[in-house]
């Protein structure tokens, strides 16, 4: 189970880790988009945060139902109490961590990320979410200056 802020590398590291372990990647954001038939930004605009979070919860349930999986969760999934226990019960929770300036550079302008539309939202959200990521994590792995494959090797080694 990979958690972390936007731009931490959950999807790309998840792909690399799943390939290394011979597992299947379940990316909750991709599951939400596939079920909705539209990008998260459009789902957010039509159904609001409450509708998105309901869809995200369904995606978490789907992603966590089975074994042999690497799960890349949405950045806010672990913040929802109804998801927290499900995610923790799915296996080792790995917090992918990077400094704010690295995350900001990876995310870029991010017009497709509804939560970043307000001025100052990035810093506020990062400050709000970091304690939750740290609390939920069984492992903390830094991603700055490392390729997804390098991080996947590190995680696989720590899980062995």
């Amino acid at each position: 189970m990979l958690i972390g802020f936007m731009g931490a590398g959950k999807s790309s590291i998840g792909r690399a880790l799943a390939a290394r372990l011979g597992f299947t990647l379940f990316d909750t954001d991709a599951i939400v988009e596939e079920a909705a038939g539209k990008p998260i930004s459009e789902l957010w605009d039509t159904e609001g945060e409450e509708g998105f979070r309901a869809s995200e919860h369904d995606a978490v349930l789907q992603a966590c139902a089975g074994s042999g999986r690497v799960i890349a969760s949405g950045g806010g999934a672990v913040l929802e109490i109804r998801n927290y226990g499900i995610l923790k019960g799915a296996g080792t929770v790995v917090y992918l961590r990077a400094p704010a300036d690295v995350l900001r550079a990876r995310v870029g302008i991010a017009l497709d990320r509804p939560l970043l539309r307000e001025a100052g939202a990035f810093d506020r959200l990062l400050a709000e979410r970091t304690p939750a990521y740290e609390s939920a994590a069984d492992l903390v792995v830094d991603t700055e200056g490392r390729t997804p494959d390098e991080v996947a090797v590190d995680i696989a080694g720590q899980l062995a």
Side-chain angles (χ1 to χ4, degrees):
M1 165 61 53
L2 304 177
I3 64 171
F5 199 68
M6 300 171 225
K10 298 178 297 290
S11 296
S12 58
I13 292 166
R15 282 189 294 279
L17 183 60
R20 175 161 294 283
L21 298 176
F23 288 178
T24 302
L25 174 66
F26 284 78
D27 185 320
T28 61
D29 284 348
I31 293 169
V32 167
E33 289 183 337
E34 185 177 329
K38 55 185 151 189
I40 288 172
S41 59
E42 287 182 31
L43 177 65
W44 192 282
D45 289 343
T46 58
E47 298 187 28
E49 184 172 5
E50 186 175 324
F52 167 73
R53 295 293 175 203
S55 295
E56 182 177 57
H57 176 67
D58 292 343
V60 166
L61 288 171
Q62 180 181 338
C64 293
S67 59
R69 298 165 179 236
V70 170
I71 301 163
S73 71
V78 76
L79 305 175
E80 294 282 322
I81 194 68
R82 62 185 177 170
N83 293 337
Y84 184 89
I86 296 165
L87 296 170
K88 289 289 286 180
T92 303
V93 176
V94 180
Y95 167 31
L96 301 177
R97 180 175 62 188
D101 60 325
V102 171
L103 295 170
R104 192 176 288 105
R106 289 178 184 169
V107 171
I109 296 173
L111 297 175
D112 62 331
R113 296 183 187 253
L115 286 174
L116 295 184
R117 292 177 181 160
E118 292 178 29
F122 185 95
D123 293 323
R124 179 182 51 78
L125 286 171
L126 183 59
E128 289 172 359
R129 291 179 175 191
T130 296
Y133 298 144
E134 291 170 347
S135 174
D138 298 308
L139 295 174
V140 178
V141 177
D142 290 308
T143 65
E144 179 183 18
R146 301 168 77 192
T147 67
D149 286 331
E150 290 169 339
V151 177
V153 167
D154 183 1
I155 294 169
Q158 290 190 59
L159 294 176

